[in-house]
Amino acid sequence: MSQLEKTAQRVLTPFILGKPGTIAVEDQAVIAMWAQKTALTAMLLSSEKQRDEGYGLAPSEYTALYEQRERMQPLDASRIWVGNYAGTDGFSGVRVTPLVMRVPWSPEPDVPQGYAFTIVLGQLVIQGLRFTSPALEVDVTTELQMPQLWPSSAALQWPGGQPCTEESFLSFADGKMIRSTVEPLELHPWRPAVDVAQSILVEDQVTVPAMCKKHVVSYPAALLREAMRGSFYAFLRECECGVTYLIQTDSDRSRFRAHDNAALEIYANLPGEERLIQSHAGNFVCKRLPADADAAITLAASRR
């Protein structure tokens, strides 16, 4: 593992600082493995309780990567790209999103068939895709046309393709810009990982299943009507477990964005004044989000 870190530091440091350069073919497998290892390690930062409830990646991913450590390359059925992050200076983060392969109008698969991982360090962004069901491995492309790091074929020039911006980051990191080249197969984020279950309207409250899958949280139906007009809000709600969630309304869903301390800090960093809404459940406080809600929350998270 130390060889991975030494190679990554030598090769990637200039890109993190925004200096153009080249990744030689002989370094590409090591950098690709480092990126995959970094993403898997980040998932281990979740609590034992979260892992018991299904958060994280299958233990087999860690076992497989360890067993091929002598090969110094990422797991089979992996695709990895490297590009330029043109968002907030000093931003860094790791995001892993389960993915499914499906035919339009087909039911949502019960389990994911792969995952996308995204690493941002300064001006460098690395995105990878790993199919955990080899039978579903297909050729893919990316909307941003970033150079492919793995499988490698030639020296890679950085930067290349279109940059990832603050505005496009969440869509990019959720794997929504990775496209299957095989029709009619489509690659999508696995809904249980990125969406909450269907909401229910009770009197003047929208009731949403909490992430613990045991309780619900609610918010005024007025925010649902606002969302249908294109105005979105962020707010904090606490479920019976005592966990505080940051929730964002969107055009077609409510999204859980963070929990506990992270939720409180991101909400505090969001721009705009709080709005007070009165309902039969009592006073409700929220913040109206700017036109690009995802970018606003990403920026607020980077200021934690």
Side-chain angles (χ1 to χ4, degrees):
M1 294 299 110
S2 63
Q3 183 180 341
L4 289 178
E5 298 299 332
K6 290 178 181 178
T7 302
Q9 183 178 21
R10 171 177 59 83
V11 174
L12 300 180
T13 297
F15 307 149
I16 295 171
L17 300 175
K19 299 178 181 178
T22 303
I23 303 180
V25 173
E26 56 267 26
D27 289 329
Q28 292 178 18
V30 179
I31 296 300
M33 185 181 186
W34 173 85
Q36 195 164 59
K37 182 270 301 182
T38 299
L40 266 64
T41 302
M43 297 300 284
L44 294 177
L45 297 178
S46 56
S47 68
E48 182 176 349
K49 178 177 181 293
Q50 288 173 320
R51 291 195 292 274
D52 288 344
E53 293 173 350
Y55 179 83
L57 297 174
S60 58
E61 288 295 289
Y62 297 87
T63 302
L65 192 65
Y66 178 77
E67 289 178 346
Q68 70 169 46
R69 62 193 181 281
E70 300 299 332
R71 296 172 60 190
M72 296 300 287
Q73 66 182 48
L75 296 170
D76 294 339
S78 295
R79 306 282 190 277
I80 299 174
W81 302 270
V82 60
N84 173 225
Y85 179 70
T88 306
D89 291 342
F91 176 63
S92 63
V94 181
R95 188 178 179 93
V96 180
T97 303
L99 300 175
V100 291
M101 188 68 70
R102 54 187 294 199
V103 176
W105 312 115
S106 64
E108 178 81 5
D110 293 332
V111 296
Q113 290 118 7
Y115 57 90
F117 57 89
T118 304
I119 302 169
V120 177
L121 293 169
Q123 296 188 40
L124 172 71
V125 61
I126 301 176
Q127 182 166 71
L129 166 63
R130 153 82 167 150
F131 291 97
T132 52
S133 297
L136 291 172
E137 182 182 4
V138 298
D139 288 331
V140 295
T141 186
T142 68
E143 286 187 18
L144 298 185
Q145 299 178 327
M146 292 179 173
Q148 182 170 296
L149 177 72
W150 184 262
S152 59
S153 58
L156 185 153
Q157 300 295 319
W158 187 94
Q162 302 173 38
C164 175
T165 64
E166 287 181 14
E167 292 74 21
S168 63
F169 175 73
L170 285 178
S171 181
F172 174 79
D174 277 345
K176 295 179 181 178
M177 294 187 178
I178 302 176
R179 299 280 185 250
S180 165
T181 62
V182 180
E183 295 184 356
L185 294 178
E186 296 179 351
L187 201 61
H188 294 280
W190 189 48
R191 284 190 175 276
V194 296
D195 295 346
V196 298
Q198 186 173 2
S199 305
I200 300 173
L201 185 62
V202 180
E203 295 184 355
D204 65 347
Q205 296 287 302
V206 177
T207 300
V208 182
M211 297 299 291
C212 66
K213 301 179 181 179
K214 300 175 183 177
H215 307 114
V216 298
V217 295
S218 60
Y219 62 89
L223 296 189
L224 177 62
R225 291 189 288 271
E226 290 279 311
M228 296 174 72
R229 299 188 186 102
S231 297
F232 309 125
Y233 290 79
F235 49 89
L236 299 169
R237 300 304 283 166
E238 181 177 330
C239 84
E240 293 180 39
C241 293
V243 177
T244 298
Y245 295 106
L246 173 64
I247 304 175
Q248 170 202 340
T249 57
D250 207 339
S251 58
D252 61 350
R253 55 183 169 168
S254 304
R255 300 170 63 182
F256 284 63
R257 304 306 300 270
H259 67 281
D260 288 341
N261 288 338
L264 297 172
E265 293 172 11
I266 295 172
Y267 181 78
N269 288 333
L270 285 172
E273 296 182 356
E274 289 187 317
R275 175 182 173 185
L276 180 65
I277 298 176
Q278 295 182 335
S279 69
H280 86 278
N283 293 334
F284 181 88
V285 177
C286 57
K287 285 186 179 181
R288 181 171 176 173
L289 294 170
D292 195 326
D294 285 348
I297 290 182
T298 299
L299 181 58
S302 71
R303 292 173 174 168
R304 288 181 56 205

